[in-house]
Amino acid sequence: MPPGILTLAADKAELSPADTGFMLIATALVMVMTPALAFFYGGMVRVKSVLNMLMMSFISLGLVTVLWVLYGFSLAFGTDHGSVIGFSGDYVGLSGIGLTELWDGYTIPVYVFAAFQLMFAILTPALISGALADRVKFTAWALFVVLWATIVYFPVAHWVWGAGGWLFELGVIDFAGGTAVHINAGAAALGVIFVVGKRIGFKKDPMRPHSLPLVMLGAGLLWFGWFGFNAGSWLGNGDGVGAVAFLNTQVATGAAMLGWLAYEKLRHGSFTTLGAASGAVAGLVAITPACGSVSPLGAIAIGVIAGVLCAMAVGLKYKFGYDDSLDVVGVHLVGGVVGSLLIGFFATGGVQSDAKGLFYGGGLAQLGKQSVGVVSVLLYSLVVSFVLAKVIDLVMGFRVSEDEELAGVDQAAHAETAYDYGGTGGGSALARTAAPAPPSGDAPTSGAAGGTASASQTGSSDRAQGGTPGKAKKVEA
């Protein structure tokens, strides 16, 4: 919840060891989501790109952490300027914050809130990476993360969660990141895809996941970490809202997995492990903005709808010809849009705020607000991300050479391979000059970075994402 938004308590807040401890645990859970995403994405790509996929997520842990301390927290949650950006000198370098200084209106220290929000900022650009598997320069990607976090994520976080942010003041409900995290990342992925182009062999060569067990491990860890992502976004446990968010997270995720699998069985004839993992992530994405606004029955509805629609959406890349390698657009963008808009139908008015959806007598007012939030974040992220990627491409080139792409980005960018086929030693290619080279191309079981045995069954990817704090705000109807 953002600064200046008062809780129901009339008395001045005091530091709560219980709430502080809870938020530190929630922060650690959200941090785990980025490595979990790396495993999830890593299992979905071909053998020759596993390490690069892992590194595209891990580098965000370093880059965004430093940016957040230097100026990111100030831009996202500092004093509002024009309803579009924040800035507070005390937050620059996190140098002017007292040891026990509380986040305005809450019982947790500013340092804890800053750390919690940092984990959202780290995860969001990492989500984008799944759309670009197999084909981008690591240095270009790192530069993009720096620019995108600064120009897109930090301002959008202020719009949605910062006191004075224009979407926050409008009354858009985003409990933990449907707009600021998932729509933001999904739209950015689409913008960069338009610049980078398709993988060599797209729609021709098999590009199946090389390790479904790794995908399932990553999905399970994402599911686990998401409880911190969503329940932690209320920033405390005093009124039961966090408990509702926790339960709704579980309920919607399970329902979405079932919805995806049912669609997959009817459409393709099989229940796949990739479909189960992708469906779960779709449910996590969709419930993120809505977990503090709906009942458990509403969470079931949101989960089923998101599971089916996201399963349908992942096939659009073949119809329209854009190469979203691991279905970031199909899962995160579509799932974020679905979850954000369905608040306008299923909000009960009895959890985080008094705002009611259409099915609870609230009319179309909240749906209209949600639509403004969805469209504005989608368009801003899409356009700015395209421009940033285009500039990087013109200056240094965003894509690896054709030879490097065919040989594998792992060797070209990291001088390593994920699996040592020539011996029992480590993974460094430089240290194994005398060892037999790994098989060219893919292992027999590897293939599409985003699919199962058939192109139409490509799984989703990224998912995660995450919810974001600042979020849990009380909105007046």
Side-chain angles (χ1 to χ4, degrees):
M1 191 177 295
I5 303 302
L6 299 179
T7 60
L8 297 179
D11 298 333
K12 182 179 179 180
E14 296 182 358
L15 191 149
S16 167
D19 285 345
T20 299
F22 166 73
M23 287 306 302
L24 289 173
I25 294 172
T27 300
L29 286 172
V30 181
M31 182 273 164
V32 168
M33 291 174 68
T34 298
L37 180 70
F39 291 139
F40 184 71
Y41 281 167
M44 293 176 72
V45 297
R46 292 171 284 180
V47 169
K48 62 185 181 181
S49 302
V50 182
L51 298 180
N52 180 252
M53 200 72 260
L54 297 176
M55 281 293 289
M56 288 177 77
S57 288
F58 265 77
I59 194 64
S60 186
L61 284 162
L63 293 174
V64 180
T65 296
V66 173
L67 297 180
W68 189 253
V69 171
L70 294 178
Y71 57 81
F73 183 61
S74 180
L75 295 181
F77 293 100
T79 302
D80 176 70
H81 293 274
S83 297
V84 295
I85 198 67
F87 183 81
S88 295
D90 288 347
Y91 293 166
V92 174
L94 302 183
S95 57
I97 301 172
L99 185 63
T100 58
E101 180 181 345
L102 300 182
W103 187 240
D104 195 10
Y106 290 87
T107 58
I108 62 173
V110 174
Y111 278 125
V112 174
F113 178 75
F116 183 62
Q117 288 290 350
L118 165 61
M119 302 310 166
F120 287 89
I122 289 170
L123 178 65
T124 307
L127 292 175
I128 303 169
S129 66
L132 309 175
D134 298 333
R135 61 197 189 277
V136 300
K137 295 179 180 177
F138 187 68
T139 50
W141 168 250
L143 177 59
F144 177 80
V145 169
V146 170
L147 296 176
W148 190 85
T150 302
I151 300 173
V152 180
Y153 181 79
F154 298 155
V156 170
H158 183 76
W159 297 357
V160 176
W161 296 315
W166 73 277
L167 291 178
F168 180 85
E169 295 300 326
L170 179 64
V172 174
I173 296 176
D174 187 351
F175 194 89
T179 55
V181 175
H182 297 292
I183 293 175
N184 204 2
L190 187 59
V192 181
I193 289 169
F194 290 151
V195 175
V196 172
K198 307 169 187 176
R199 288 167 292 177
I200 297 172
F202 176 64
K203 294 203 290 187
K204 297 178 182 178
D205 299 337
M207 295 180 177
R208 292 179 292 274
H210 90 281
S211 175
L212 288 171
L214 198 61
V215 173
M216 296 297 281
L217 173 64
L221 290 174
L222 282 171
W223 194 333
F224 175 67
W226 223 292
F227 291 116
F229 197 78
N230 284 355
S233 289
W234 195 239
L235 308 183
N237 284 311
D239 55 9
V241 174
V244 174
F246 190 106
L247 178 61
N248 283 341
T249 299
Q250 175 68 22
V251 170
T253 305
M257 180 176 67
L258 297 178
W260 186 298
L261 289 173
Y263 173 84
E264 191 174 55
K265 176 64 175 177
L266 293 173
R267 184 78 169 83
H268 305 296
S270 301
F271 300 114
T272 68
T273 53
L274 185 60
S278 299
V281 172
L284 290 166
V285 171
I287 199 60
T288 289
C291 60
S293 303
V294 303
S295 69
L297 288 177
I300 290 176
I302 290 174
V304 171
I305 293 169
V308 173
L309 292 182
C310 288
M312 296 171 64
V314 298
L316 295 178
K317 63 184 179 184
Y318 299 106
K319 180 177 181 179
F320 294 108
Y322 62 91
D323 187 5
D324 174 16
S325 307
L326 308 184
D327 304 319
V328 178
V329 176
V331 175
H332 289 275
L333 178 57
V334 173
V337 169
V338 169
S340 296
L341 293 181
L342 288 181
I343 292 173
F345 293 93
F346 292 105
T348 65
V351 191
Q352 79 172 93
S353 75
D354 297 329
K356 295 183 179 181
L358 179 63
F359 296 159
Y360 289 84
L364 296 173
Q366 191 60 43
L367 179 60
K369 295 175 182 179
Q370 298 302 120
S371 299
V372 171
V374 165
V375 173
S376 59
V377 172
L378 192 160
L379 291 178
Y380 178 76
S381 183
L382 175 66
V383 173
V384 176
S385 300
F386 174 85
V387 172
L388 290 176
K390 192 67 176 178
V391 170
I392 293 173
D393 191 46
L394 292 173
V395 172
M396 61 186 296
F398 211 128
R399 187 163 180 158
V400 298
S401 70
E402 182 175 341
D403 288 343
E404 289 174 332
E405 181 175 344
L406 290 173
V409 187
D410 286 0
Q411 290 283 3
H414 310 293
E416 296 172 311
T417 57
Y419 307 102
D420 183 4
Y421 295 107
T424 58
S428 172
L430 296 179
R432 296 193 323 272
T433 54
S440 60
D442 305 331
T445 57
S446 38
T452 55
S454 67
S456 60
Q457 287 175 291
T458 45
S460 23
S461 71
D462 109 320
R463 312 10 163 167
Q465 313 54 264
T468 272
K471 348 193 111 299
K473 62 185 181 197
K474 295 181 172 62
V475 181
E476 296 300 324

